Amino acid sequence: MHAKKAGKKSSVDPTSNGAQERLSEVLSTFATLREDGRALIERIHGSLLEMRDLRQQIRAQRTERAPGRGGFAPARAAYLQMQFGLTARETEVALLLGQGCSNVAIAKTLGISTHTARHHTQRVLAKMKVHSRAEAGAKLRG
């Protein structure tokens, strides 16, 4: 009986070697996948940081062009004030209208409420003697 056990052990050993080899291959594959996953995450993280930097640059450029911060040519603003009798704030609103901005965008840009932006827009349209934002934009673009 003892001889049978010894025989079974020798027949089990080659099978267990094959299983161990397969297990080793699977673990190696998982390790490779883990490394690839980490590398991919690092690349994604780098891309996100790059996109964040680009977004900040775009915001900075927009801020530089915002009214009241040197974004609009003073001669253009003076012309609008003289031609249509606009106040300084109405001139800022008119220039934003010319860019196609909504009242919400005008409010955010100028740091005022949407109600105030709407009021300024109505005053600009009345002073320019136009009936729509599109007509005002066309007149401003000239």
Side-chain angles (χ1 to χ4, degrees):
M1 193 161 183
H2 189 64
K4 286 184 180 180
K5 284 185 180 180
K8 284 186 179 180
K9 280 186 181 179
S10 64
S11 66
V12 172
D13 287 341
T15 308
S16 69
N17 281 343
Q20 286 178 349
E21 288 176 13
R22 180 68 184 135
L23 179 61
S24 177
E25 289 175 17
V26 169
L27 291 176
S28 175
T29 301
F30 282 136
T32 302
L33 289 173
R34 186 180 319 118
E35 290 172 16
D36 291 348
R38 287 180 180 158
L40 182 60
I41 288 170
E42 286 178 25
R43 287 177 50 200
I44 291 170
H45 185 260
S47 295
L48 288 173
L49 291 175
E50 184 180 343
M51 286 190 307
R52 183 182 299 154
D53 291 341
L54 291 172
R55 184 176 29 180
Q56 288 173 348
Q57 290 174 7
I58 289 169
R59 284 183 181 158
Q61 289 173 354
R62 285 181 181 166
T63 301
E64 290 171 5
R65 287 184 285 180
R69 295 185 182 120
F72 298 125
R76 178 92 171 129
Y79 169 77
L80 290 174
Q81 288 174 346
M82 286 180 51
Q83 180 73 21
F84 301 109
L86 302 176
T87 65
R89 180 61 96 182
E90 289 168 347
T91 303
E92 291 175 326
V93 171
L95 292 169
L96 290 169
L97 281 173
Q99 294 177 359
C101 292
S102 66
N103 285 342
V104 172
I106 291 169
K108 284 182 181 178
T109 301
L110 300 178
I112 58 177
S113 73
T114 54
H115 176 77
T116 303
R118 187 184 68 193
H119 177 75
H120 286 313
T121 300
Q122 291 170 345
R123 298 269 306 168
V124 167
L125 296 178
K127 287 183 177 183
M128 292 181 70
K129 298 180 183 171
V130 295
H131 300 288
S132 70
R133 304 166 78 85
E135 194 176 353
K139 200 169 191 177
L140 288 166
R141 288 186 293 273

